[in-house]
């Protein structure tokens, strides 16, 4: 009946349009269900560089992801030293020094 009313080319065009809309809906649903990885959730595992030496409480400042963060470590930190983010506590990052031979580029592990 559709063939008589619309013609064969219109039926193919409508079928193709329906298929495209179905694929778009599937992609949108998958994107909605995917876990969000943005903001501060991606910080653990990233590599940063100390910009200000640590004080007597073990607090320093570091450049991580293009932003200056207040960081804390159990060992003294010096400017230029590479550190890896272990955890994020509000606006404070818990870090650990990166060994000299570590060649990772700041990607989360």
């Amino acid at each position: 009946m559709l063939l008589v009313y619309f013609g064969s080319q219109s039926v193919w065009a409508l079928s193709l349009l329906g298929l495209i809309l179905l694929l778009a809906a599937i992609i949108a649903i998958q994107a909605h269900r995917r876990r969000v990885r943005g903001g501060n959730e991606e910080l653990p595992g990233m590599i940063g560089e100390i910009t200000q030496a640590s004080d007597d409480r073990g607090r320093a400042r570091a450049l991580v992801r293009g932003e200056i963060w207040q960081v804390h470590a159990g060992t003294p930190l010096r400017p230029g030293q590479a550190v890896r983010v272990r955890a994020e506590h509000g606006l404070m990052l818990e870090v650990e020094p990166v060994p000299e031979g570590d060649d990772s580029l700041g990607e989360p592990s």
Side-chain angles (χ1 to χ4, degrees):
M1 176 147 165
L2 281 175
L3 189 59
V4 174
Y5 187 73
F6 289 113
S8 64
Q9 290 181 347
S10 296
V11 171
W12 281 108
L14 289 173
S15 299
L16 183 61
L17 179 63
L19 181 62
I20 291 171
L21 290 175
L22 179 65
L23 288 174
I26 290 171
I27 291 171
I29 290 170
Q30 287 177 346
H32 183 70
R33 289 183 178 174
R34 195 171 301 138
R35 182 171 178 232
V36 175
R37 288 292 290 179
N40 295 346
E41 293 176 353
E42 66 183 8
L43 284 172
M46 293 192 106
I47 302 293
E49 181 181 340
I50 299 297
T51 59
Q52 179 184 355
S54 58
D55 59 13
D56 55 348
R57 294 185 300 178
R59 294 183 180 193
R61 297 208 184 271
L63 181 67
V64 180
R65 198 182 58 187
E67 302 168 335
I68 300 291
W69 288 86
Q70 188 172 7
V71 298
H72 180 267
T75 60
L77 302 171
R78 64 186 188 288
Q81 184 178 11
V83 292
R84 182 181 315 275
V85 178
R86 293 179 55 212
E88 176 256 330
H89 306 288
L91 297 177
M92 173 82 68
L93 300 180
E94 186 72 32
V95 298
E96 62 186 1
V98 174
E100 296 295 324
D102 194 351
D103 58 353
S104 59
L105 300 173
E107 297 297 321
S109 54

